[in-house]
Amino acid sequence: MTTAISVSGLVKTFGATRALDGLDLEVATGEVHGFLGPNGSGKSTTIRVLLGLLRPDGGRSELLGGDPWRDAVALHRRLAYVPGDVTLWPSISGGEAIDLIGALRGGLDPRRRAELLERFDLDPRKKARTYSKGNRQKVALVAALASDAELLVLDEPTSGLDPLMEAVFQECIREVRAEGRTVLLSSHILAEAEALCDRVSIIRLGRTVQSGTLAELRHLTRMSMVVETERPADGVGALPGVHDLRHDDGRVSFDVDTDALDGVLRHLAGLGVRGLTSTPPTLEELFLRHYGDELAEDGVPVAQEAGRP
Amino acid sequence: MSSGSGTLTGTGRLFRFALRRDRLRLPVWIAVGTFMVVTQSVSSQALYDTAADLAAYRASVGSNAATIALAGPPVGLDTVAGAVAFEISATVMLIAALMAMFTVTRHTRADEEAGRTELLRSARVGRHAPLLAAVLLAALACVVLALTIGVATTASGLPAPGSFVLGASVAACGLVFTGVTAVAVQATGHTRGVYGLVGGLFAVAFVLRAIGDIEGNWVVWTSPVGWAQATHPFSDDAVAPLLLCLVVAAGLVVAGFALLDRRDLGSGLVQPRPGRPTARRGLLSPLGLAVRLHRGALIAWTAGLALLGVVYGALAESVETLIGENEQALAMFGNPDVDQLVDAYLGTTFAITALLASAYAVSAVLRARAEESGDRAEVLLATGTSRAAWLGSHVAVALAGSALAITASGLTTGLVRVAQTGEAAALGRMVGAAVSYVPAIWVVAGVAVALFGLLPRLATTVAWTAVGLFLLITMFAESFDWPGWVGDLSPINWIPTLPLEEWTLAPLVGLAAVAVALLAAGFGGFRRRDIALG
Ligand SMILES: Nc1ncnc2c1ncn2[C@@H]1O[C@H](COP(=O)(O)OP(=O)(O)OP(=O)(O)O)[C@@H](O)[C@H]1O
Ligand SMILES: [Mg+2]
């Protein structure tokens, strides 16, 4: 297994803010790697160091076998980048922007460009000032996906996409992986990472807190469920792995550990289930639950950090 | 206008909020407008202190089409007060119109573009409230401007009634353009479109009144600027034209509300034209993109400086009569022989044009900073484009563009002079004089590049401050007898005042060395620093 990205002990400060505080990240060639963390945890900063846009204050980083700062231009020809907040030139059309970004990287495949425009349902004639946030993001996505770059660096690429387009995006990423290309996908949506990623790294406050396959991280997750049953579901609260049981107008809602899910469902089946919704936890909830106590002990203001929009 | 109940809800709150947001901006506009009138009043009273001076002035400008085209109707020139109104009213009316345009746009279209209006409208704010609040704020600013001009001009020693009529005329022009802007913000979907539309309409109005004033006919009455100037402050003090302005302003505002009801939030009445689905080859390089981004501004600056060249050239003939008989004005030009008067005058105009070309060069360099802080540099610098190539593309446009603009100005001045004197050699002399300033302009551009590379966050503020200082130094160091080293701080002053003085090589070499050093510092700094957002 060769590595596409290898970062260790990365430090980056902005004045008094320590945005990266000894961050580690390993991405193997050919994998889709999820880069997860709550708002302000340092995902974009890490990516911008990897792109040679920011100069790190400490640590070691290697990208496609080169130094991100020193070899920036040569490395950029081999990768495609979609920024988190895509801004374009107001008077330039989406199609022109795609061609420009593609040409400066070293050309893009016109057939694939046309196909992607179709799939993302993007009108390339519109001037950027008339695009919505999601459509600007599509412009950057088409430019990146129509290239033959061996590494795709995507910073929260779906934050403005609707569910239909999110599905198209996931399809595209699977194709990219099938071609043996590498993807670094930053996100704060756990579900997206679960759908796409071979491995994930979870960071918080500029430090890596977990890294591994999703199965390895599964023990971290806890589902939120709302159930409506024919007979009262009072016994649920006593089952192992069930937390925070609340009664609410004939329904019960509670959280359940993933590894206890099977037992809970068996129990509910005997009560005559009329309705059931389950939601995976947001990343913020995950952090609060698993690291909250630990961080609070260190004097880190957890609730405030995780509650940021 | 279907202002059912509630469409104006929240106007008061929005108005107070807008007033707070503009609490520094509007006083600056008002102070600048008032200051210009007062400065004109003080300097004219000193300049034309005898009846003979005034008579010479009247004879000279009263028959000069170029001056009339720039100023207004040549009435009331038998008093100094009338001369003040003649010289300054057009400029202050432009300031009032711009103040109105920026104020109304800022609180309507710009907010809408940024999505702030959506946020407000989802709160308890009626559909018409933002526009009404913006119009009221602009109107208030115009009224305050009228009063400050009235009070300050009276205090400067001119008759009170005329001073207040002058102020009211300026305000009336501002109010009409408040109305024009209220309509324009409905018509187009983005701020720059509004500025283009309103600016263009002001230019049309200005040209119409210029034609009317030169010909002395009815065409003046087709222009709101013409109406505002028809009050003839200090001679007729007529107020009837002001009523016309008020009626038209009110009508335009009502039309603005009616159009507002016919469009969706966030869009204009006029849908933007679609662009190209694929890029032309010419766009596909950093320089191609830079040329595309700078094109509009470069054309506008070049056309503007070329036009200025025509005006300066046209004025050259009357310089002899205008200044030749006035000792103070002679001193301003460094006491040359009367023969050399025109050359001295032209030299001064080229120095001013060079300052304007430097301002363009700085704005073009700072475009790179705007691209960077607006996140648009990042996506390009993550491709195979090097930092040097990216910055170089903007700097190349700034250097070549500023040289082009000042050359255009030399060319038009030269052509006008050839037409006036019949001497073909005048063309070469004028172009040469203009081009001689290019190294100095590039040094000013270099200052901006160095700031961009080394102090990105302060670059915009510091670079414009430097341009302002160079302007002050170049214009006033000599007439105010500031020490020589102060004058040398402005690179423009390093250039001999062509065509009056001889051209020499030494300053050229010095300036080139400074420019190269500044560019090297800027590019070197940029290569080593973070790409800084915000
Ligand atoms: N240019 C900058 N100047 C100062 N502070 C910065 C700068 N860029 C980032 N920061 C700070 O560094 C920290 C990490 O920010 P970063 O943008 O990397 O977070 P993120 O994980 O991408 O968050 P999000 O999910 O909101 O995109 C934040 O506290 C942020 O405020
Ligand atoms: Mg981010």
Side-chain angles (χ1 to χ4, degrees):
Chain A
M1 183 176 90
T2 52
T3 43
I5 296 172
S6 165
V7 169
S8 62
L10 199 60
V11 175
K12 177 69 194 176
T13 53
F14 297 107
T17 318
R18 214 170 162 82
L20 299 182
D21 189 15
L23 185 126
D24 304 313
L25 177 68
E26 287 287 323
V27 178
T29 304
E31 75 172 353
V32 177
H33 193 100
F35 191 38
L36 306 180
N39 290 138
S41 53
K43 302 181 296 291
S44 300
T45 305
T46 308
I47 287 175
R48 300 175 77 242
V49 168
L50 287 172
L51 293 170
L53 298 168
L54 296 180
R55 187 173 207 156
D57 296 312
R60 202 188 53 78
S61 54
E62 199 183 88
L63 179 88
L64 299 174
D67 178 305
W69 178 265
R70 221 189 39 235
D71 312 322
V73 173
L75 293 175
H76 292 169
R77 293 188 214 284
R78 298 164 58 193
L79 63 82
Y81 167 52
V82 175
D85 197 355
V86 180
T87 49
L88 299 167
W89 304 271
S91 60
I92 287 181
S93 74
E96 287 177 308
I98 291 170
D99 288 346
L100 176 69
I101 297 166
L104 295 181
R105 183 188 302 117
L108 40 74
D109 179 352
R111 263 218 342 269
R112 187 138 65 187
R113 176 189 187 276
E115 182 208 314
L116 285 163
L117 284 176
E118 182 91 7
R119 285 167 74 181
F120 278 107
D121 190 23
L122 181 70
D123 178 0
R125 293 171 166 277
K126 278 191 160 186
K127 303 270 177 75
R129 71 161 67 86
T130 63
Y131 278 133
S132 63
K133 174 178 161 62
N135 281 335
R136 287 199 305 271
Q137 215 148 25
K138 288 184 200 170
V139 168
L141 275 172
V142 171
L145 292 167
S147 74
D148 56 2
E150 58 195 273
L151 170 65
L152 299 186
V153 179
L154 313 177
D155 191 356
E156 296 185 26
T158 59
S159 53
L161 299 188
D162 61 39
L164 215 65
M165 290 303 138
E166 166 86 43
V168 174
F169 168 76
Q170 295 195 2
E171 219 173 84
C172 290
I173 294 302
R174 289 196 188 94
E175 289 165 19
V176 165
R177 187 183 44 193
E179 291 163 15
R181 303 199 264 163
T182 313
V183 180
L184 178 65
L185 172 65
S186 110
S187 180
H188 53 237
I189 310 164
L190 202 57
E192 180 176 273
E194 285 189 306
L196 288 175
C197 299
D198 303 301
R199 290 195 318 130
V200 299
S201 293
I202 300 183
I203 67 164
R204 185 168 207 288
L205 297 175
R207 235 176 291 176
T208 314
V209 288
Q210 285 282 339
S211 193
T213 64
L214 275 164
E216 286 166 357
L217 299 182
R218 193 71 69 189
H219 70 278
L220 291 176
T221 59
R222 194 185 277 182
M223 288 281 185
S224 294
M225 304 190 94
V226 182
V227 194
E228 203 177 335
T229 48
E230 274 166 24
R231 287 179 292 285
D234 293 334
V236 175
L239 295 175
V242 171
H243 312 264
D244 303 333
L245 185 81
R246 292 172 301 275
H247 289 272
D248 178 18
D249 204 17
R251 285 175 296 181
V252 288
S253 54
F254 54 87
D255 296 343
V256 53
D257 292 337
T258 318
D259 43 15
L261 203 54
D262 192 47
V264 172
L265 286 177
R266 273 171 211 284
H267 176 85
L268 288 173
L271 300 175
V273 177
R274 283 218 203 96
L276 183 149
T277 54
S278 68
T279 357
T282 65
L283 207 56
E284 274 81 357
E285 285 167 346
L286 197 76
F287 275 110
L288 269 181
R289 193 165 299 143
H290 286 273
Y291 303 103
D293 303 339
E294 183 188 322
L295 288 161
E297 274 165 25
D298 296 346
V300 177
V302 177
Q304 187 196 339
E305 273 291 322
R308 272 208 327 237
Chain B
M1 185 168 141
S2 67
S3 74
S5 75
T7 65
L8 293 173
T9 311
T11 304
R13 255 180 313 139
L14 284 183
F15 176 79
R16 282 190 298 277
F17 180 55
L19 191 64
R20 228 183 79 80
R21 273 172 77 195
D22 281 359
R23 67 188 183 280
L24 290 177
R25 238 170 257 260
L26 289 177
V28 169
W29 281 105
I30 291 166
V32 167
T34 308
F35 176 78
M36 295 193 72
V37 180
V38 171
T39 320
Q40 186 68 46
S41 164
V42 170
S43 73
S44 290
Q45 288 181 61
L47 213 55
Y48 314 122
D49 57 348
T50 69
D53 284 343
L54 200 57
Y57 170 79
R58 193 165 62 238
S60 137
V61 301
S63 58
N64 189 313
T67 317
I68 292 172
L70 289 175
V75 280
L77 297 183
D78 47 350
T79 64
V80 175
V84 170
F86 170 74
E87 295 217 335
I88 202 64
S89 66
T91 313
V92 191
M93 284 174 188
L94 171 65
I95 289 177
L98 289 177
M99 174 177 81
M101 175 184 84
F102 284 121
T103 305
V104 173
T105 309
R106 224 165 98 72
H107 298 289
T108 55
R109 178 54 70 186
D111 276 358
E112 218 172 292
E113 211 172 14
R116 286 188 287 269
T117 312
E118 208 170 346
L119 209 66
L120 286 175
R121 286 262 288 269
S122 61
R124 286 200 311 109
V125 167
R127 189 169 64 247
H128 291 152
L131 181 59
L132 184 60
V135 165
L136 288 177
L137 182 64
L140 174 69
C142 288
V143 170
V144 173
L145 178 62
L147 294 176
T148 55
I149 289 179
V151 170
T153 312
T154 308
S156 78
L158 300 188
S163 299
F164 282 92
V165 170
L166 177 61
S169 309
V170 169
C173 180
L175 288 173
V176 171
F177 280 89
T178 300
V180 170
T181 312
V183 171
V185 291
Q186 318 305 332
T188 120
H190 52 275
T191 320
R192 280 165 63 135
V194 174
Y195 296 156
L197 199 59
V198 178
L201 286 172
F202 186 89
V204 169
F206 200 83
V207 168
L208 285 174
R209 70 127 280 280
I211 294 170
D213 283 334
I214 292 168
E215 304 286 331
N217 64 14
W218 56 270
V219 182
V220 186
W221 292 98
T222 60
S223 160
V225 183
W227 309 333
Q229 287 188 326
T231 52
H232 301 160
F234 303 110
S235 54
D236 298 344
D237 284 342
V239 291
L242 297 180
L243 294 178
L244 181 58
C245 290
L246 284 182
V247 169
V248 170
L252 285 166
V253 169
V254 170
F257 281 110
L259 292 174
L260 175 60
D261 288 334
R262 274 163 224 270
R263 67 176 183 88
D264 298 327
L265 186 63
S267 71
L269 289 168
V270 185
Q271 290 303 320
R273 267 182 302 133
R276 296 176 51 84
T278 56
R280 286 205 179 88
R281 285 200 74 78
L283 178 68
L284 300 180
S285 67
L287 189 61
L289 175 65
V291 168
R292 173 80 175 267
L293 295 177
H294 287 268
R295 195 171 55 188
L298 177 56
I299 291 172
W301 276 89
T302 306
L305 291 196
L307 197 67
L308 198 62
V310 172
V311 172
Y312 282 147
L315 288 174
E317 248 182 357
S318 63
V319 160
E320 213 158 344
T321 37
L322 186 63
I323 308 173
E325 294 156 26
N326 187 309
E327 282 177 14
Q328 206 163 346
L330 277 175
M332 241 165 78
F333 286 104
N335 287 316
D337 292 342
V338 178
D339 303 351
Q340 294 174 318
L341 211 60
V342 172
D343 278 355
Y345 155 79
L346 287 169
T348 308
T349 67
F350 282 125
I352 293 170
T353 310
L355 285 163
L356 293 173
S358 308
Y360 164 70
V362 166
S363 78
V365 169
L366 292 176
R367 178 74 195 240
R369 176 64 193 142
E371 290 287 297
E372 181 189 6
S373 59
D375 270 8
R376 290 179 299 267
E378 188 177 272
V379 71
L380 295 182
L381 291 174
T383 68
T385 305
S386 69
R387 292 186 179 204
W390 177 81
L391 177 57
S393 69
H394 290 281
V395 172
V397 173
L399 299 185
S402 54
L404 176 75
I406 195 161
T407 307
S409 149
L411 204 63
T412 52
T413 304
L415 290 173
V416 171
R417 291 296 291 155
V418 171
Q420 284 170 348
T421 62
E423 271 179 61
L427 182 61
R429 279 188 348 124
M430 294 305 124
V431 173
V435 171
S436 73
Y437 279 103
V438 168
I441 295 167
W442 287 2
V443 166
V444 184
V447 171
V449 175
L451 287 166
F452 171 80
L454 300 169
L455 297 169
R457 280 171 209 280
L458 296 176
T460 303
T461 316
V462 178
W464 284 119
T465 308
V467 170
L469 286 177
F470 292 155
L471 186 105
L472 278 180
I473 292 168
T474 304
M475 306 257 285
F476 299 119
E478 211 164 315
S479 36
F480 288 174
D481 271 337
W482 289 345
W485 64 266
V486 176
D488 289 342
L489 287 179
S490 168
I492 305 292
N493 284 357
W494 289 29
I495 304 285
T497 317
L498 296 178
L500 183 66
E501 297 170 11
E502 288 290 310
W503 185 83
T504 51
L505 185 65
L508 187 76
V509 174
L511 287 170
V514 175
V516 168
L518 288 168
L519 289 177
F523 276 82
F526 183 54
R527 204 158 55 84
R528 274 182 289 275
R529 71 170 170 82
D530 287 348
I531 301 299
L533 302 177

